[in-house]
Tab-separated table of all heavy atoms in Angstrom:
chain	number	residue	atom	x	y	z
A	317	ARG	N	54.996	147.689	5.092
A	317	ARG	CA	55.856	147.310	6.242
A	317	ARG	C	55.638	148.254	7.414
A	317	ARG	O	55.488	147.862	8.559
A	317	ARG	CB	57.310	147.384	5.836
A	317	ARG	CG	58.249	147.021	6.993
A	317	ARG	CD	59.671	146.791	6.425
A	317	ARG	NE	59.746	145.765	5.539
A	317	ARG	CZ	60.347	144.571	5.787
A	317	ARG	NH1	60.904	144.410	6.901
A	317	ARG	NH2	60.376	143.648	4.858
A	318	PHE	N	55.612	149.611	7.149
A	318	PHE	CA	55.377	150.536	8.204
A	318	PHE	C	53.959	150.449	8.732
A	318	PHE	O	53.711	150.692	9.994
A	318	PHE	CB	55.771	151.903	7.835
A	318	PHE	CG	57.210	152.235	7.814
A	318	PHE	CD1	57.970	152.310	6.686
A	318	PHE	CD2	57.948	152.253	9.012
A	318	PHE	CE1	59.305	152.555	6.664
A	318	PHE	CE2	59.254	152.413	9.074
A	318	PHE	CZ	59.942	152.601	7.887
A	319	GLY	N	53.003	150.080	7.902
A	319	GLY	CA	51.652	149.902	8.380
A	319	GLY	C	51.545	148.824	9.368
A	319	GLY	O	50.881	148.830	10.421
A	320	VAL	N	52.144	147.666	9.022
A	320	VAL	CA	52.161	146.543	9.958
A	320	VAL	C	52.934	146.856	11.295
A	320	VAL	O	52.514	146.515	12.316
A	320	VAL	CB	52.812	145.287	9.267
A	320	VAL	CG1	53.073	144.167	10.302
A	320	VAL	CG2	51.922	144.843	8.157
A	321	PHE	N	53.968	147.556	11.094
A	321	PHE	CA	54.774	147.986	12.286
A	321	PHE	C	53.926	148.884	13.258
A	321	PHE	O	53.873	148.662	14.479
A	321	PHE	CB	56.066	148.774	11.839
A	321	PHE	CG	56.893	149.248	13.032
A	321	PHE	CD1	57.589	148.389	13.799
A	321	PHE	CD2	56.863	150.619	13.318
A	321	PHE	CE1	58.360	148.911	14.813
A	321	PHE	CE2	57.632	151.114	14.350
A	321	PHE	CZ	58.382	150.269	15.130
A	322	GLU	N	53.268	149.859	12.648
A	322	GLU	CA	52.415	150.751	13.451
A	322	GLU	C	51.226	150.030	14.071
A	322	GLU	O	50.886	150.325	15.236
A	322	GLU	CB	51.914	151.896	12.586
A	322	GLU	CG	51.189	152.943	13.355
A	322	GLU	CD	52.003	153.640	14.466
A	322	GLU	OE1	53.235	153.707	14.361
A	322	GLU	OE2	51.422	154.089	15.506
A	323	ALA	N	50.650	149.078	13.327
A	323	ALA	CA	49.581	148.239	13.884
A	323	ALA	C	50.072	147.503	15.102
A	323	ALA	O	49.320	147.309	16.118
A	323	ALA	CB	48.927	147.362	12.855
A	324	GLY	N	51.259	146.998	15.066
A	324	GLY	CA	51.849	146.255	16.177
A	324	GLY	C	52.026	147.173	17.384
A	324	GLY	O	51.804	146.790	18.558
A	325	ARG	N	52.495	148.358	17.106
A	325	ARG	CA	52.702	149.325	18.227
A	325	ARG	C	51.336	149.705	18.902
A	325	ARG	O	51.256	149.751	20.106
A	325	ARG	CB	53.319	150.591	17.712
A	325	ARG	CG	54.795	150.391	17.414
A	325	ARG	CD	55.421	151.644	16.743
A	325	ARG	NE	54.993	152.842	17.338
A	325	ARG	CZ	55.731	153.659	18.101
A	325	ARG	NH1	56.960	153.306	18.336
A	325	ARG	NH2	55.267	154.800	18.651
A	326	VAL	N	50.326	149.811	18.095
A	326	VAL	CA	48.964	150.224	18.673
A	326	VAL	C	48.462	149.000	19.456
A	326	VAL	O	47.890	149.208	20.526
A	326	VAL	CB	48.036	150.588	17.522
A	326	VAL	CG1	46.589	150.691	17.972
A	326	VAL	CG2	48.461	151.904	16.875
A	327	SER	N	48.545	147.805	18.943
A	327	SER	CA	48.033	146.690	19.628
A	327	SER	C	48.820	146.395	20.880
A	327	SER	O	48.347	145.877	21.945
A	327	SER	CB	47.988	145.411	18.792
A	327	SER	OG	49.276	144.990	18.528
A	328	ALA	N	50.138	146.724	20.875
A	328	ALA	CA	50.936	146.525	22.115
A	328	ALA	C	50.582	147.519	23.248
A	328	ALA	O	50.731	147.194	24.385
A	328	ALA	CB	52.444	146.663	21.802
A	329	ARG	N	50.006	148.664	22.901
A	329	ARG	CA	49.553	149.602	23.919
A	329	ARG	C	48.220	149.213	24.511
A	329	ARG	O	47.884	149.632	25.622
A	329	ARG	CB	49.413	150.972	23.258
A	329	ARG	CG	50.709	151.699	23.118
A	329	ARG	CD	50.494	153.146	22.668
A	329	ARG	NE	51.115	153.153	21.340
A	329	ARG	CZ	50.586	153.748	20.322
A	329	ARG	NH1	49.563	154.451	20.371
A	329	ARG	NH2	51.241	153.740	19.183
A	330	ASP	N	47.526	148.233	23.911
A	330	ASP	CA	46.197	147.820	24.457
A	330	ASP	C	46.436	146.628	25.343
A	330	ASP	O	46.843	145.566	24.881
A	330	ASP	CB	45.312	147.486	23.281
A	330	ASP	CG	43.867	147.272	23.745
A	330	ASP	OD1	43.614	147.172	24.958
A	330	ASP	OD2	43.047	147.124	22.874
A	331	PRO	N	46.154	146.758	26.653
A	331	PRO	CA	46.338	145.659	27.535
A	331	PRO	C	45.545	144.378	27.269
A	331	PRO	O	45.945	143.280	27.626
A	331	PRO	CB	45.892	146.203	28.939
A	331	PRO	CG	45.705	147.666	28.763
A	331	PRO	CD	45.628	147.955	27.330
A	332	LYS	N	44.414	144.525	26.543
A	332	LYS	CA	43.667	143.376	26.156
A	332	LYS	C	44.459	142.420	25.282
A	332	LYS	O	44.246	141.221	25.370
A	332	LYS	CB	42.394	143.860	25.377
A	332	LYS	CG	41.509	142.741	24.920
A	332	LYS	CD	40.206	143.295	24.270
A	332	LYS	CE	40.482	144.079	23.013
A	332	LYS	NZ	39.331	144.451	22.309
A	333	TYR	N	45.481	142.900	24.553
A	333	TYR	CA	46.218	142.056	23.668
A	333	TYR	C	47.590	141.675	24.237
A	333	TYR	O	48.342	140.877	23.663
A	333	TYR	CB	46.373	142.721	22.292
A	333	TYR	CG	45.142	142.974	21.579
A	333	TYR	CD1	44.652	144.258	21.423
A	333	TYR	CD2	44.390	141.882	21.072
A	333	TYR	CE1	43.447	144.431	20.729
A	333	TYR	CE2	43.242	142.133	20.462
A	333	TYR	CZ	42.690	143.351	20.273
A	333	TYR	OH	41.507	143.577	19.603
A	334	THR	N	48.013	142.275	25.333
A	334	THR	CA	49.258	141.973	25.919
A	334	THR	C	49.167	141.384	27.317
A	334	THR	O	49.655	140.252	27.536
A	334	THR	CB	50.209	143.234	26.013
A	334	THR	OG1	49.551	144.276	26.669
A	334	THR	CG2	50.563	143.734	24.597
A	335	VAL	N	48.555	142.093	28.252
A	335	VAL	CA	48.566	141.659	29.615
A	335	VAL	C	47.617	140.425	29.859
A	335	VAL	O	48.034	139.508	30.512
A	335	VAL	CB	48.173	142.835	30.538
A	335	VAL	CG1	48.115	142.359	31.980
A	335	VAL	CG2	49.120	143.980	30.411
A	336	VAL	N	46.445	140.510	29.267
A	336	VAL	CA	45.518	139.439	29.434
A	336	VAL	C	46.017	138.131	29.008
A	336	VAL	O	45.978	137.106	29.774
A	336	VAL	CB	44.095	139.823	28.803
A	336	VAL	CG1	43.199	138.628	28.920
A	336	VAL	CG2	43.553	141.037	29.497
A	337	PRO	N	46.586	137.960	27.772
A	337	PRO	CA	47.086	136.611	27.382
A	337	PRO	C	48.241	136.201	28.261
A	337	PRO	O	48.381	135.015	28.508
A	337	PRO	CB	47.591	136.897	25.906
A	337	PRO	CG	46.743	138.046	25.445
A	337	PRO	CD	46.574	138.906	26.680
A	338	GLN	N	49.098	137.114	28.718
A	338	GLN	CA	50.209	136.742	29.570
A	338	GLN	C	49.690	136.195	30.923
A	338	GLN	O	50.108	135.128	31.394
A	338	GLN	CB	51.103	137.876	29.887
A	338	GLN	CG	51.889	138.352	28.669
A	338	GLN	CD	52.619	139.670	28.877
A	338	GLN	OE1	52.616	140.230	29.971
A	338	GLN	NE2	53.329	140.097	27.884
A	339	ARG	N	48.704	136.834	31.489
A	339	ARG	CA	48.115	136.352	32.717
A	339	ARG	C	47.429	135.005	32.606
A	339	ARG	O	47.510	134.118	33.390
A	339	ARG	CB	47.059	137.388	33.296
A	339	ARG	CG	47.825	138.634	33.863
A	339	ARG	CD	46.862	139.532	34.477
A	339	ARG	NE	47.545	140.738	35.010
A	339	ARG	CZ	47.009	141.873	35.226
A	339	ARG	NH1	45.634	141.980	35.077
A	339	ARG	NH2	47.694	142.826	35.696
A	340	GLU	N	46.759	134.838	31.447
A	340	GLU	CA	46.124	133.519	31.142
A	340	GLU	C	47.164	132.424	31.090
A	340	GLU	O	46.946	131.318	31.655
A	340	GLU	CB	45.280	133.619	29.903
A	340	GLU	CG	44.031	134.475	30.070
A	340	GLU	CD	43.309	134.643	28.765
A	340	GLU	OE1	43.851	134.275	27.669
A	340	GLU	OE2	42.223	135.137	28.759
A	341	ARG	N	48.334	132.684	30.409
A	341	ARG	CA	49.339	131.631	30.280
A	341	ARG	C	49.875	131.347	31.669
A	341	ARG	O	50.180	130.216	32.005
A	341	ARG	CB	50.467	132.134	29.366
A	341	ARG	CG	50.141	131.858	27.908
A	341	ARG	CD	51.351	132.030	27.063
A	341	ARG	NE	51.965	133.302	27.138
A	341	ARG	CZ	51.633	134.349	26.313
A	341	ARG	NH1	50.701	134.200	25.437
A	341	ARG	NH2	52.253	135.496	26.477
A	342	ILE	N	50.137	132.356	32.459
A	342	ILE	CA	50.699	132.173	33.833
A	342	ILE	C	49.721	131.295	34.643
A	342	ILE	O	50.136	130.395	35.283
A	342	ILE	CB	51.002	133.487	34.576
A	342	ILE	CG1	52.164	134.208	33.875
A	342	ILE	CG2	51.165	133.299	36.000
A	342	ILE	CD1	52.451	135.584	34.339
Side-chain angles (χ1 to χ4, degrees):
R317 181 171 297 252
F318 281 110
V320 169
F321 177 74
E322 186 60 28
R325 288 174 40 108
V326 170
S327 70
R329 280 185 247 142
D330 189 353
K332 178 173 66 173
Y333 297 110
T334 54
V335 177
V336 173
Q338 290 173 0
R339 287 185 182 160
E340 288 173 353
R341 276 194 302 271
I342 289 171

